[in-house]
Amino acid sequence: MRILFLSILSFLITFSAKAQFPLSKAKGNLIIYGTPTIKQDCNLGDIVEAVFYVKNISTDTVLIGQISPDCQCTHYLYPEKGIKPNSVDSITLFYMSGNTPPGPYFKKTIVDFDDTNLELNIEGNLTLVRNVIRKGQKPFIYEKKQIRVTNWPKK
């Protein structure tokens, strides 16, 4: 009877811990909310601001050692003082599409922390929009945009 009770108790504890973050991916002491890949199409010259929300599940502050994008067209912003225990913070990647050839793009960034790492990705299709200037008409000049997308799970 005692063995049955202990096995049921361990089963419930195991599955209740996994049920807290059904849309998350855990690696080390950080949980990524939603997906580690953000898909966003854009036009040449746009800036894609991809915000990845992460949660620290440890009892200590997690310090990010370094962030390594695979391309100089990707910039980043992260909490430099670390992510406090049991709190949610964000890592933001900026894809600058100005000097990139049109077509599909895939930008990978590695986040190093606590002797492990995370991989964050931005992907999509880059389209060239040409300015249109015709005699007797108002010219169409494409104005570049900053597009903000997050990986926060939709309800």
Side-chain angles (χ1 to χ4, degrees):
M1 185 69 171
R2 183 182 289 179
I3 295 172
L4 178 63
F5 176 73
L6 290 175
S7 62
I8 291 173
L9 181 64
S10 65
F11 177 79
L12 291 175
I13 289 172
T14 302
F15 284 102
S16 68
K18 289 183 180 177
Q20 285 180 334
F21 303 104
L23 298 174
S24 303
K25 181 178 178 184
K27 185 164 184 179
N29 291 326
L30 291 182
I31 291 177
I32 301 175
Y33 281 92
T35 174
T37 301
I38 290 180
K39 298 178 181 179
Q40 179 62 49
D41 294 341
C42 64
N43 295 322
L44 189 67
D46 289 346
I47 299 172
V48 177
E49 181 180 348
V51 183
F52 295 90
Y53 289 99
V54 293
K55 181 176 183 174
N56 179 358
I57 59 172
S58 71
T59 57
D60 295 324
T61 299
V62 172
L63 295 172
I64 295 174
Q66 74 175 19
I67 295 184
S68 304
D70 67 347
C71 177
Q72 65 184 2
C73 61
T74 307
H75 301 250
Y76 54 85
L77 180 67
Y78 67 96
E80 294 179 6
K81 294 182 179 179
I83 302 172
K84 295 185 180 356
N86 205 28
S87 66
V88 176
D89 212 327
S90 63
I91 299 170
T92 306
L93 302 179
F94 300 92
Y95 169 55
M96 312 294 196
S97 67
N99 296 322
T100 317
Y105 68 89
F106 182 82
K107 302 300 172 187
K108 178 171 76 171
T109 302
I110 304 295
V111 179
D112 292 324
F113 66 96
D114 288 353
D115 297 333
T116 188
N117 59 39
L118 292 174
E119 182 178 308
L120 303 176
N121 303 304
I122 308 172
E123 64 181 51
N125 192 34
L126 184 60
T127 307
L128 174 64
V129 177
R130 298 192 184 274
N131 298 328
V132 178
I133 300 174
R134 293 195 177 114
K135 187 175 181 179
Q137 293 181 354
K138 183 179 178 184
F140 170 76
I141 308 293
Y142 178 72
E143 294 186 25
K144 300 169 185 164
K145 301 180 282 189
Q146 182 161 348
I147 305 165
R148 181 181 170 94
V149 289
T150 69
N151 72 331
W152 195 261
K154 294 172 179 61
K155 293 183 180 183

